[in-house]
Amino acid sequence: MIESDIKAKLSFSDGTPDIDLPIYKGTVGPDVIDIRKLYGQTGKFTYDSGFLSTASCNSKITYIDGDKGELLYRGYPIEDLAHNCDFLEVCYLLINGDLPNATQKKDFEELVMHHTMVHEQMQFFLRGFRRDAHPMSVLTGLVGAMAAFYHDEIDYSDPHAREVAQIRLIAKMPTLVAMAYKYSVGQPFIYPDNSLSYTANFMRMMFATPCEEYKVNPVLVRALDRIFTLHADHEQNASTSTVRLCGSSGTNPFAAISAGIACLWGPAHGGANEACLQMLNEIQANGGVEKIHEFIAQVKDKNSSVRLMGFGHRVYKNFDPRAKLMRETCYEVLNELGLQDDPLFKLAMTLEKIALEDEYFVSRKLYPNVDFYSGIVQRALGIPTEMFTCVFALARTVGWIAQWEEMITDPEYKIGRPRQLYVGETSRKVPNITVRK
Ligand code: ACO
């Protein structure tokens, strides 16, 4: 971190002496005020419950400029990566800091594709779940259980042990996600085929059966691969911060990633694509395009808790660059499948247009996020709605594990331990049970 010549001065009206706080500069983006010594010097904490103005770490992985609608992975714009690289190249980039050359790409693909199988015992663990369990609850359990299956290299201060864990996670997530799906529909598990690409292998494990081979369609594989790329990392979002906080205790990385999956599940985060498709289906069932204005009125009603799912973002206040790419992919997939007139896609486009012209959304800077169109693409690919967030988790695993690695190797690494503003009772005595109210 580069220290700025400028200092922040903090003054108090109660006579506490002023203090100067150092400011650090990033390579791009807002500077940060270093408050680490604030408590020691003043006896006061800062208060920022939703992390609205707090940088929880320094990172070289992903940069977002929410006002410009810019997203960079290791400095490369997401548009460039989505158009010119496949997902495994993006994985290599996020983990290693640079794009692979041809030899590195081949070696990395081989390495990942030779770790796709999971321990055979894993399927017995899976069979303990009810078949109607939500696949995200199953995935949380399965990935957590990996800590029990792969504990041979337990010393995560060893870079090699960390690398093996990273590769295992990237390689085995598609297998686990496909297993969770097959289990939910009562079909036999399909073992990985390492001769296929990462994404084609995942699609085969999802859609082939022992009686029917899956025909790989390159346009559809490319579309899903792009979904993976667009979801691969997003700096310190809720699930990534969960992985960092959980991992900061030194816990097993599979356990930390499992915590990230649990966080991602929520409808305000990764669960939004599922919630968005459900919302579109409901509008469609209640009258379709004709009913959009009625739905928007409900969203704007202060007394209703209805939100326009797939809209709004904590950081993007101009547009989400991933949403544009996702809409492009949506066109490609629907054209390939002859679904150009898909009613849900038409409904989504009309809803987007109406919302973008509505003062409520304009004044609050609410724009479509990546999840507005990703549900429609996934549905067209044949992925069932309840699996959407699992696909997101598969893609985000590389981001989580790259952020975990960065944290573990940061010389300033400490267990995360936020403080609080206590507003409860002051110290009091326990009354005898006979006199309690
Ligand atoms: N629909 C309607 N109103 C909204 C929406 C929405 N989708 N999003 C925000 N608002 C309104 C809020 O009601 C609030 O209005 P007010 O100022 O009148 O009270 C204002 O916009 C600010 O909203 P906040 O909730 O404070 O914004 P925050 O940054 O905390 O929330 C979030 C961001 C959670 C993504 C929110 O926009 C949302 O719930 N969106 C829908 C869910 C969604 O699509 N999530 C996916 C995010 S992307 C991802 O995780 C991959």
Side-chain angles (χ1 to χ4, degrees):
M1 293 194 293
I2 303 162
E3 191 164 348
S4 163
D5 300 335
I6 304 164
K7 300 253 182 275
K9 189 174 280 303
L10 190 58
S11 320
F12 303 85
S13 53
D14 65 355
T16 310
D18 290 2
I19 58 161
D20 285 338
L21 297 165
I23 293 184
Y24 294 105
K25 299 177 96 48
T27 40
V28 58
D31 297 346
V32 298
I33 303 169
D34 180 353
I35 53 156
R36 283 174 294 179
K37 296 202 175 126
L38 184 70
Y39 178 62
Q41 289 179 356
T42 66
K44 290 178 172 53
F45 298 137
T46 56
Y47 180 68
D48 186 12
S49 62
F51 293 98
L52 297 173
S53 296
T54 297
S56 60
C57 61
N58 67 80
S59 179
K60 292 181 176 157
I61 302 174
T62 293
Y63 174 73
I64 303 173
D65 185 326
D67 294 325
K68 277 202 324 211
E70 180 177 62
L71 168 62
L72 310 176
Y73 291 166
R74 301 280 189 186
Y76 294 109
I78 191 68
E79 294 84 354
D80 259 11
L81 292 168
H83 289 128
N84 299 309
C85 299
D86 64 31
F87 177 63
L88 277 191
E89 285 173 89
V90 170
C91 289
Y92 185 99
L93 171 71
L94 288 170
I95 289 176
N96 296 297
D98 240 318
L99 284 165
N101 61 30
T103 316
Q104 288 164 334
K105 177 174 158 68
K106 187 170 159 289
D107 291 349
F108 187 70
E109 278 169 1
E110 264 176 35
L111 184 64
V112 171
M113 294 313 290
H114 281 89
H115 281 84
T116 52
M117 234 166 30
V118 296
H119 198 294
E120 193 64 4
Q121 202 72 12
M122 205 71 177
Q123 54 173 290
F124 300 110
F125 179 77
L126 180 63
R127 282 179 213 280
F129 288 100
R130 282 172 57 132
R131 285 209 190 261
D132 61 356
H134 193 286
M136 278 300 275
S137 70
V138 174
L139 196 63
T140 310
L142 286 183
V143 175
M146 297 248 283
F149 284 93
Y150 302 104
H151 54 85
D152 43 341
E153 286 100 355
I154 203 89
D155 177 11
Y156 288 109
S157 62
D158 172 10
H160 177 66
R162 292 201 302 275
E163 192 197 337
V164 172
Q166 287 170 357
I167 298 297
R168 277 184 175 150
L169 272 158
I170 296 167
K172 294 181 201 303
M173 274 301 275
T175 315
L176 294 177
V177 171
M179 281 172 81
Y181 171 57
K182 288 297 195 193
Y183 184 70
S184 72
V185 289
Q187 290 182 3
F189 303 126
I190 300 294
Y191 286 100
D193 176 348
N194 293 349
S195 67
L196 293 174
S197 73
Y198 182 86
T199 304
N201 173 52
F202 172 62
M203 292 179 89
R204 182 180 162 275
M205 287 191 292
M206 287 283 289
F207 303 125
T209 68
C211 14
E212 211 167 311
E213 196 38 50
Y214 177 72
K215 288 194 189 67
V216 173
N217 176 329
V219 177
L220 304 188
V221 170
R222 178 79 199 121
L224 188 57
D225 198 80
R226 180 181 276 190
I227 291 184
F228 292 166
T229 292
L230 299 184
H231 288 86
D233 195 49
H234 215 225
E235 54 117 308
Q236 308 313 318
N237 56 82
S239 56
T240 303
S241 299
T242 301
V243 170
R244 278 190 180 250
L245 190 56
C246 182
S248 77
S249 71
T251 192
N252 182 292
F254 297 103
I257 300 299
S258 167
I261 295 171
C263 177
L264 186 74
W265 189 4
H269 192 7
N273 49 16
E274 184 177 340
C276 180
L277 200 73
Q278 275 161 0
M279 172 193 78
L280 292 172
N281 275 326
E282 271 166 38
I283 302 174
Q284 188 67 9
N286 290 328
V289 173
E290 306 290 303
K291 292 286 171 183
I292 290 179
H293 286 286
E294 211 174 284
F295 174 75
I296 293 279
Q298 243 184 313
V299 168
K300 288 159 45 176
D301 180 356
K302 278 272 168 221
N303 299 318
S304 110
S305 57
V306 180
R307 284 204 163 193
L308 177 51
M309 300 313 287
F311 253 69
H313 199 275
R314 171 62 61 80
V315 183
Y316 294 118
K317 299 298 176 196
N318 182 336
F319 68 92
D320 178 344
R322 303 168 304 169
K324 279 192 177 172
L325 292 157
M326 194 56 82
R327 190 165 41 170
E328 196 179 291
T329 299
C330 204
Y331 274 113
E332 281 165 21
V333 167
L334 297 179
N335 277 339
E336 175 67 14
L337 296 171
L339 297 171
Q340 298 88 333
D341 294 327
D342 179 68
L344 231 47
F345 184 48
K346 291 205 158 150
L347 177 73
M349 286 199 304
T350 317
L351 183 55
E352 180 189 16
K353 188 169 179 302
I354 292 173
L356 287 175
E357 287 166 1
D358 191 304
E359 175 55 21
Y360 175 94
F361 297 92
V362 174
S363 62
R364 289 170 179 75
K365 299 186 173 175
L366 301 171
Y367 296 88
N369 59 51
V370 65
D371 286 329
F372 193 68
Y373 285 104
S374 78
I376 299 173
V377 179
Q378 292 197 53
R379 187 185 66 126
L381 294 177
I383 298 169
T385 315
E386 61 281 7
M387 289 301 296
F388 290 177
T389 318
C390 292
V391 169
F392 189 162
L394 186 172
R396 183 55 60 84
T397 295
V398 64
W400 289 329
I401 202 70
Q403 299 268 354
W404 170 80
E405 169 73 18
E406 185 176 64
M407 177 192 67
I408 295 282
T409 51
D410 184 343
E412 295 191 351
Y413 157 57
K414 271 187 173 25
I415 185 169
R417 177 56 169 93
R419 302 307 299 265
Q420 63 172 10
L421 175 67
Y422 178 69
V423 292
E425 299 285 350
T426 52
S427 177
R428 50 184 178 159
K429 283 207 161 30
V430 176
N432 186 291
I433 194 156
T434 55
V435 297
R436 286 184 216 163
K437 282 184 217 144

